Amino acid sequence: MSDIFDARRCELGEGAFWHPERQQFFWFDITGKALLSRERDKEFQWQFDECVSAAGWISRTELLVASETGLWRMDIDTGSREIVADFPSEPHLRSNDGRADPWGGFWIGTMGKRSEHEAGAVWRYYRGEMRKLYPGISIPNAICFDAGRSLGYFADTRLRRVWSVRLDRDGWPAQAPELFLDLAANGVSPDGAVTDCEGNFWNAQWGAGRVACYAPDGREIAVHHFDAVRISCPAIGGADLDQLFATSAQQGMTPEARLVEPHAGMTFCRRVQAKGLEEYRVVLG
């Protein structure tokens, strides 16, 4: 299929991320403990000894990588890494969705390795401080920020709800979160998300095989279907920031279901009528 960007089948593809300086797409296989990328026909893979799930760019050669134990500074060329910030020692937890914010900070969700009820939280790393923002979340997802640098978004996939939160001049929450999307009535489970230059919210929807686009007022304005039911995280990239990337997963599928759905776990790419936001740089220190 022309939509297939990479045919490697991730168990739990996530962390879709376009590096603006390298003009290169990265993503993760969380339970496969791997960071993946490709340039044309050349495949790349960096293996870890724990679950890894999301990244932000520090420089052309360095990423901030979220793992189950903390945030790591990683050299893309050598694979070397050093710890930047630790999570509290809780072996039953791992990181999940995350994204850099417009102030150089990094938001990351944690959750139970068995999706335990309300075991997770949303955290922010900023200027050397790791602060828990929202506890009691079962499956944190959809972390992203609007084009106007005034709003942050996050979801609890289990509740099928997405919230927006007003941010102050340093990027910290200035008010209580407000409900942005309630998808429970439609049986839709919000997963990873990204915004575009017009403030539209692009949301991967687990179990629905699609990425849906919502206007800033919450109206659904576009839907892109892919040949995998468990679509997990989108990113908008490419030279003109008009290519929609989407990761997917095989997690929870029986052997029979994997045979019926041969593209599950693959990563997709499609040109769209949108102009993406450039991924924000992480500033350490």
Side-chain angles (χ1 to χ4, degrees):
M1 291 178 62
S2 60
D3 279 348
I4 295 175
F5 175 77
D6 189 281
R8 287 174 285 180
R9 298 183 72 178
C10 294
E11 186 67 18
L12 181 53
E14 253 288 4
F17 164 75
W18 177 259
H19 194 307
E21 286 199 352
R22 296 178 72 95
Q23 293 287 288
Q24 186 176 350
F25 179 65
F26 293 85
W27 69 102
F28 292 85
D29 184 348
I30 295 180
T31 54
K33 302 178 180 178
L35 169 67
L36 300 95
S37 185
R38 74 176 302 124
E39 289 184 295
R40 298 181 178 87
D41 294 330
K42 189 173 183 180
E43 298 177 346
F44 300 91
Q45 183 164 326
W46 297 263
Q47 204 65 40
F48 292 74
D49 58 6
E50 59 181 342
C51 294
V52 284
S53 66
W57 69 282
I58 299 169
S59 68
R60 179 176 177 82
T61 60
E62 292 181 307
L63 298 178
L64 186 75
V65 174
S67 79
E68 63 184 79
T69 56
L71 303 179
W72 298 79
R73 186 175 195 149
M74 174 186 156
D75 187 294
I76 297 170
D77 296 332
T78 67
S80 65
R81 60 205 73 146
E82 61 182 19
I83 192 69
V84 171
D86 293 301
F87 290 124
S89 180
E90 298 185 74
H92 67 291
L93 299 182
R94 65 165 175 82
S95 61
N96 199 48
D97 186 63
R99 201 171 293 275
D101 68 32
W103 297 266
F106 191 80
W107 291 43
I108 181 69
T110 57
M111 61 178 286
K113 291 180 179 177
R114 297 184 178 180
S115 303
E116 290 90 340
H117 181 63
E118 296 184 352
V122 173
W123 297 73
R124 187 192 188 206
Y125 173 80
Y126 182 64
R127 296 186 176 180
E129 178 186 2
M130 182 78 97
R131 186 188 300 182
K132 185 184 290 187
L133 302 179
Y134 303 110
I137 296 179
S138 298
I139 307 176
N141 265 309
I143 294 172
C144 58
F145 307 90
D146 78 325
R149 296 165 56 100
S150 62
L151 292 175
Y153 295 93
F154 67 95
D156 189 332
T157 301
R158 177 162 294 161
L159 297 179
R160 295 176 170 170
R161 290 177 175 176
V162 181
W163 292 270
S164 65
V165 58
R166 188 73 51 185
L167 305 174
D168 68 18
R169 64 182 183 178
D170 292 319
W172 295 106
Q175 299 175 1
E178 296 183 357
L179 187 63
F180 174 61
L181 296 174
D182 188 344
L183 302 173
N186 298 327
V188 173
S189 298
D191 210 303
V194 69
T195 55
D196 65 24
C197 283
E198 295 182 349
N200 300 314
F201 177 88
W202 295 73
N203 180 229
Q205 297 181 336
W206 180 272
R210 69 181 206 163
V211 174
C213 179
Y214 299 87
D217 62 5
R219 289 177 298 113
E220 184 182 289
I221 57 177
V223 175
H224 290 271
H225 291 275
F226 295 92
D227 197 15
V229 171
R230 291 163 172 80
I231 293 293
S232 53
C233 189
I236 300 178
D240 298 319
L241 292 175
D242 63 352
Q243 295 181 47
L244 175 65
F245 295 88
T247 56
S248 70
Q250 305 178 90
Q251 189 179 59
M253 297 176 65
T254 64
E256 294 76 16
R258 295 181 188 217
L259 289 174
V260 172
E261 194 179 319
H263 299 124
M266 294 184 183
T267 302
F268 303 88
C269 182
R270 178 182 302 167
R271 195 172 300 277
V272 293
Q273 297 297 314
K275 177 76 170 179
L277 287 175
E278 188 172 282
E279 293 277 359
Y280 298 112
R281 179 173 177 264
V282 178
V283 180
L284 298 184

